[in-house]
Amino acid sequence: TQKTHLPIVEVAYQRGLKIFDSKLTYNEILLKIQQRIPISYIGEFSYIVRGGYIDKSLPLASLYAVHGSYMAFGVFDRGVFSTMKANEFLSNKFISIHLSHEFNRLYNTKISAPNIELLYNMAFGGLNNPQHHQGIAFKTMEKGYYELGCMIHRILRVGFFGIGAGVYWRFGAYSLPIVSDNFSFRFSATLGR
């Protein structure tokens, strides 16, 4: 749980070294910024921004897959793409932005204390030298990946434990031709009053 309302910044640098017969010398930098901002009488706005860059062409397993976690029915996890399949998009450079606003509770009873959360996620990415990756199906995100979500947390509450539900919708250039494939339904579990 985040204890501060100031931005939290994480930076990681990694260097691939040429050892033995390896030709995988590269530089990689990752950046993550996140913040939760309480807004009086309205709720809490939060964002997570991630970015990464690898300066050389690497095998697909070493590239970015940008946090895809698609399941038709799954568990809510803030800061991931709920409608994007794992490894659906590959990049050696990317930026992803996750915005959410969690509104104050609608009402508060012993068995229910619901609050609505609206979420908007987007990502852009690119892959240098895609011709190096033959025979494997993948996409890149130059046109931008977009999804909207709406969660209702604590629809049912038992003591300190709450259960909620919601839905995400994939739209834009990478939406899928079968309409139902663009939706992902999520369940949330929360602790606390």
Side-chain angles (χ1 to χ4, degrees), residues 7-163:
I8 297 172
V9 179
E10 300 172 39
V11 179
Y13 171 78
Q14 184 170 296
R15 169 114 174 118
L17 300 175
K18 185 174 183 178
I19 299 176
F20 304 114
D21 290 332
S22 171
K23 297 177 182 176
L24 298 180
T25 59
Y26 65 93
N27 296 290
E28 175 184 5
I29 189 156
L30 281 166
L31 171 69
K32 179 181 177 183
I33 304 169
Q34 62 183 340
Q35 185 176 15
R36 299 180 74 83
I37 304 166
I39 302 171
S40 297
Y41 308 109
I42 298 175
E44 188 173 71
F45 173 77
S46 66
Y47 66 86
I48 301 170
V49 178
R50 290 186 183 96
Y53 177 73
I54 300 170
D55 68 346
K56 298 281 173 65
S57 185
L58 295 179
L60 288 176
S62 299
L63 297 173
Y64 301 121
V66 193
H67 307 98
S69 69
Y70 173 78
M71 292 170 45
F73 295 91
V75 177
F76 170 71
D77 188 5
R78 189 177 286 108
V80 300
F81 289 90
S82 296
T83 61
M84 180 190 295
K85 295 179 176 87
N87 299 320
E88 182 177 355
F89 297 90
L90 296 173
S91 309
N92 72 298
K93 55 193 171 219
F94 82 96
I95 184 166
S96 67
I97 301 170
H98 304 267
L99 307 174
S100 73
H101 188 88
E102 193 168 351
F103 292 92
N104 292 332
R105 292 182 186 164
L106 299 171
Y107 58 85
N108 194 359
T109 69
K110 281 187 174 183
I111 61 167
S112 183
N115 67 300
I116 296 172
E117 182 174 7
L118 300 177
L119 304 107
Y120 179 67
N121 302 326
M122 67 182 121
F124 297 87
L127 181 62
N128 294 346
N129 304 311
Q131 69 277 8
H132 292 175
H133 308 290
Q134 303 278 330
I136 299 171
F138 65 89
K139 296 181 263 185
T140 57
M141 294 184 298
E142 287 86 356
K143 297 176 184 175
Y145 186 92
Y146 304 96
E147 68 179 18
L148 283 172
C150 180
M151 296 294 302
I152 304 175
H153 303 290
R154 296 179 200 85
I155 297 170
L156 178 63
R157 182 171 72 172
V158 180
F160 289 101
F161 183 72
I163 297 172

